[in-house]
Amino acid sequence: MSVCAKKLDKDDLESSPTPTTNSMSKNGDNGDIVVNTRAECSVCKRLYRDPKILPCLHTFCADCVRQLEPFSVLSRVNNSKAAPSEREPRSSAVTVLCPECDSEVDIPLSGVDGLTTDHLALDEVFFQTLMTENNVLCDLCSDGDAEKRCEVCCVNLCEFCCQAHRRQKRTSSHTVQCLESLKTQGRLSRPVLCSLHPGQELRLFCESCDLPICLECAATYHRDHRCRSTRDVIARHGDRIREMVTGRLRPRLVRLEESLRKVDQSQDALQARVDAVADEVRSFARGYACAVESHCLSLLRRLEELRVQRRNQLHLQGAQLQQALTDARGGVEFAERLLTRGSDAEILSAKGVTLRRLTALVESGYDPNLATVAPDDGSSICFLPQEGAGELGGYPVVGVIHFKSLELSRCTIEGEGLQQGREGQRGEFNLVCRDSAGEPMGRGGEAVLVSMVHKEKKDCRVEATVVDNGDGSYAVSFTPVEPGLYSVWVCIKAQHVKGSPFVLNVKRKVRRHRGTFHCCSFCSSGGSKEARCGCPGSMPGGVVELTRPHGQSLGGFQGCGHGHKGHPGKPHWSCCGSVEEASECLPQSVITAVGGTVTTAGGRGSSSPRGHLRTVEI
């Protein structure tokens, strides 16, 4: 950095301008304060002091970059063949996060000082200072107001120092401009000086090192390198930057801006749509709330009507009972007083009128059944919140007042499971609870009890399962284990429904045939001598010698054949001998009598030609 640049940076540090003073300027039209953000560091919110460019092309003060927390640290050794200005001892490569874009950027091994200086930011700082401060002191004498500025040395000069600056041989060729003219230009354009040789402008470019250098650098450090004038190489290098910007990045910027615009439009459209739907939801909720409130009031009015109706019914019933009680008590008291205090003549004389009154009370007086008195204790009135109640104002509403009362004489049994059953098979029937009008109750919750007891075997009971369907019907299932007649009690609240107790007839389990329905064992077995049959028929040579082991035959057939002795004369089952194809199989213990010889089904024995098969069903 040159002496002039260092002096300018020192003045900025000493003055320590705050954003409210040095980073603001007055607009000439209306006098408003305008902040030039290009001259202000986004971290410290002050004018740039020694601005450095990060690899992500964001500029910050050098001190602000030094204060950033390291994101990662990697130990490295610098290349010893580098230029003397770039050689550093063993150091560590530090990575930080850019405060602007949050990108991960690397700090050179030489530290923050190795970052590229943002000369444009320095121009903006000076221009901002020039625009905000009316009086700029001379940087050399610090006594008078500066009127000129040396573009090479980057110092502000008063008139006296400006003349002395021009008289010196080393600075006589420097360009000096008036500060007032600089204000009208809108920006400053000054030469970039070498950081190794103060006062030397970077007018050459070392293509070997890809660095701008001064004449002294070219004569010393870059003596053997290919160095050319900046004017000769600026076109080529500038075109590379221009081509990257105009050929690639500008179209991408257009696409990104268009995409971002579409995203913003989509967000706006989404927000608009969400707002519209939210309005619809609120409108619906308000209407629905009104409908629900109206429905609530309607339910409460209906509940009050039911209360008044049932109260009047109970009041009428109470009045009838009170009158009947008064009449009955009067008749009883008179008759008892007549019998206990009256003489024989008095009793006989009042006998006629007394008997007529007592007879009238007995025959036509109100004699209630205790089970039917006040059947409605309020339990029949309930609220069903899940029941649909139609629409109100175009909105569907739910919740109804249920007020039906159970009538035992109207309850019905549906299904054949309560009339007949089968041993070991599941039986079912349904109990439908109804009100006094014969309509289903439409709700569950009743205390239903089902008891099944064998009529002959009192210790034989069948466990019944009752399932509440929730709609006034109850599914009853059971599985009897023994055949016979059962007494079935179906009760609600310990009272029998109409027809209870019922009689259930459980038949024995069906025995299926295990053999073949054939004409004879000879045909069904393909002529096998060992084939047997449940009928008493036998073929020649089929007599079993009882004295031989296991009843072995003497070589004849053991089954039946066409036209032979004992054949039924028609197709029959080989397992039991039954001639009915659709029938049950006879049990193994069925006794068959063949003439005078007793044999079991499937067994063999002697029989007479006129013998016949007689079965006994158990």
Side-chain angles (χ1 to χ4, degrees):
M1 182 181 294
S2 65
V3 176
C4 299
K6 291 182 177 180
K7 180 175 180 62
L8 177 60
D9 184 61
K10 181 179 180 181
D11 294 340
D12 291 337
L13 289 173
E14 291 177 353
S15 59
S16 299
T18 59
T20 58
T21 58
N22 291 342
S23 61
M24 299 182 182
S25 62
K26 290 187 178 180
N27 192 308
D29 297 334
N30 51 20
D32 295 338
I33 301 298
V34 180
V35 178
N36 185 3
T37 57
R38 292 178 298 180
E40 181 183 282
C41 177
S42 60
V43 175
C44 61
K45 305 301 181 183
R46 300 162 66 181
L47 293 179
Y48 283 117
R49 296 159 296 170
D50 191 13
K52 297 294 182 179
I53 304 176
L54 293 181
C56 59
L57 301 185
H58 289 120
T59 302
F60 305 96
C61 298
D63 291 339
C64 296
V65 177
R66 292 188 183 95
Q67 294 175 3
L68 295 177
E69 283 288 335
F71 184 75
S72 63
V73 179
L74 177 63
S75 297
R76 295 176 57 185
V77 179
N78 286 336
N79 185 7
S80 60
K81 297 182 180 180
S85 60
E86 299 176 355
R87 294 176 185 169
E88 295 290 340
R90 180 180 179 89
S91 181
S92 299
V94 179
T95 300
V96 297
L97 296 180
C98 175
E100 187 72 21
C101 63
D102 204 29
S103 299
E104 185 177 347
V105 295
D106 296 330
I107 303 298
L109 295 178
S110 57
V112 177
D113 293 336
L115 294 172
T116 303
T117 301
D118 192 346
H119 296 280
L120 294 177
L122 290 176
D123 295 342
E124 295 293 342
V125 170
F126 174 72
F127 182 76
Q128 185 73 8
T129 304
L130 185 63
M131 295 298 295
T132 55
E133 296 182 3
N134 294 328
N135 297 325
V136 179
L137 295 179
C138 178
D139 292 331
L140 296 182
C141 65
S142 300
D143 292 334
D145 295 336
E147 298 179 0
K148 306 289 183 177
R149 177 176 175 81
C150 178
E151 290 295 313
V152 179
C153 299
C154 299
V155 293
N156 302 324
L157 304 172
C158 63
E159 186 62 30
F160 177 79
C161 293
C162 181
Q163 294 177 4
H165 196 69
R166 287 178 176 176
R167 286 195 297 266
Q168 294 182 11
K169 182 178 180 180
R170 191 172 63 89
T171 60
S172 59
S173 62
H174 290 185
T175 302
V176 179
Q177 292 186 4
C178 180
L179 291 180
E180 292 298 330
S181 64
L182 292 177
K183 292 182 180 181
T184 59
Q185 292 179 4
R187 63 176 298 275
L188 295 178
S189 178
R190 58 187 181 83
V192 180
L193 303 180
C194 180
S195 59
L196 299 178
H197 305 93
Q200 293 292 325
E201 184 179 354
L202 301 179
R203 295 182 179 182
L204 299 178
F205 183 78
C206 178
E207 295 186 348
S208 301
C209 299
D210 197 27
L211 290 174
I213 59 176
C214 65
L215 292 175
E216 294 187 17
C217 288
T220 56
Y221 304 122
H222 303 270
R223 181 172 55 248
D224 298 330
H225 295 178
R226 184 181 178 184
C227 300
R228 301 180 62 183
S229 174
T230 56
R231 294 180 180 179
D232 297 336
V233 299
I234 188 59
R236 178 163 56 89
H237 292 282
D239 289 344
R240 289 185 59 190
I241 299 176
R242 190 175 297 105
E243 190 275 332
M244 292 291 293
V245 172
T246 58
R248 297 186 180 183
L249 292 180
R250 279 293 178 187
R252 181 180 296 183
L253 283 177
V254 174
R255 293 192 298 269
L256 290 174
E257 291 174 352
E258 180 65 19
S259 300
L260 184 59
R261 185 183 62 83
K262 291 182 178 180
V263 171
D264 293 339
Q265 290 178 352
S266 299
Q267 288 182 347
D268 295 339
L270 174 62
Q271 186 62 40
R273 181 57 182 166
V274 170
D275 293 341
V277 174
D279 293 338
E280 294 178 3
V281 171
R282 295 187 185 96
S283 177
F284 173 80
R286 287 192 294 268
Y288 205 175
C290 293
V292 171
E293 185 65 24
S294 300
H295 184 54
C296 176
L297 296 177
S298 175
L299 292 176
L300 294 178
R301 286 195 298 269
R302 178 57 178 164
L303 187 61
E304 180 62 20
E305 293 174 359
L306 290 176
R307 185 189 70 83
V308 174
Q309 178 183 354
R310 298 298 172 88
R311 185 195 61 184
N312 293 337
Q313 292 176 354
L314 292 176
H315 180 74
L316 177 60
Q317 189 178 36
Q320 292 176 346
L321 292 174
Q322 183 64 40
Q323 183 63 42
L325 177 62
T326 301
D327 295 342
R329 180 180 288 121
V332 169
E333 289 179 352
F334 180 83
E336 289 179 349
R337 184 170 61 87
L338 178 63
L339 293 175
T340 56
R341 296 183 180 182
S343 61
D344 296 342
E346 291 174 342
I347 293 174
L348 293 175
S349 62
K351 175 185 69 68
V353 64
T354 302
L355 288 178
R356 285 194 297 271
R357 177 56 176 171
L358 295 178
T359 302
L361 290 175
V362 171
E363 294 179 355
S364 61
Y366 183 54
D367 187 8
N369 185 357
L370 294 180
T372 61
V373 173
D376 189 2
D377 57 355
S379 60
S380 61
I381 301 177
C382 62
F383 176 61
L384 304 179
Q386 303 298 331
E387 191 75 17
E391 292 187 356
L392 185 59
Y395 296 93
V397 292
V398 295
V400 296
I401 299 296
H402 191 279
F403 54 90
K404 294 181 179 180
S405 57
L406 180 67
E407 182 66 32
L408 293 175
S409 61
R410 296 282 187 171
C411 296
T412 57
I413 301 295
E414 299 178 355
E416 298 180 356
L418 193 56
Q419 299 175 1
Q420 57 184 0
R422 182 73 67 173
E423 176 189 359
Q425 296 183 4
R426 179 186 175 93
E428 296 179 348
F429 66 88
N430 290 328
L431 168 65
V432 180
C433 297
R434 303 180 183 274
D435 59 4
S436 57
E439 296 294 330
M441 292 293 293
R443 64 176 179 86
E446 301 292 348
V448 178
L449 174 63
V450 178
S451 175
M452 307 178 70
V453 181
H454 201 286
K455 282 193 170 184
E456 296 180 358
K457 302 177 181 179
K458 299 302 181 181
D459 57 343
C460 179
R461 296 176 178 270
V462 177
E463 187 71 22
T465 303
V466 181
V467 178
D468 188 349
N469 296 326
D471 57 356
S473 64
Y474 299 83
V476 182
S477 59
F478 56 92
T479 303
V481 295
E482 291 190 16
L485 298 179
Y486 287 81
S487 177
V488 182
W489 289 24
V490 181
C491 302
I492 302 178
K493 296 181 179 179
Q495 297 185 25
H496 289 275
V497 300
K498 183 179 180 180
S500 179
F502 302 92
V503 176
L504 173 63
N505 183 16
V506 177
K507 297 183 178 180
R508 63 179 177 83
K509 186 177 181 179
V510 177
R511 296 180 176 86
R512 302 183 182 277
H513 291 281
R514 296 170 295 175
T516 304
F517 192 72
H518 62 180
C519 59
C520 66
S521 61
F522 180 83
C523 293
S524 62
S525 64
S528 174
K529 292 184 177 182
E530 302 297 329
R532 296 175 178 271
C533 183
C535 72
S538 61
M539 296 177 66
V543 179
V544 179
E545 186 178 357
L546 299 179
T547 60
R548 298 179 67 87
H550 305 293
Q552 296 178 358
S553 66
L554 297 176
F557 291 91
Q558 300 183 14
C560 61
H562 291 295
H564 293 280
K565 180 177 58 179
H567 188 272
K570 62 180 65 177
H572 55 280
W573 287 99
S574 62
C575 51
C576 62
S578 174
V579 297
E580 295 183 6
E581 184 174 4
S583 62
E584 292 186 42
C585 184
L586 298 176
Q588 295 294 330
S589 58
V590 171
I591 305 300
T592 60
V594 182
T597 304
V598 179
T599 64
T600 60
R604 315 302 296 174
S606 61
S607 60
S608 64
R610 294 187 301 174
H612 64 279
L613 178 67
R614 182 167 57 87
T615 63
V616 179
E617 181 180 355
I618 298 179

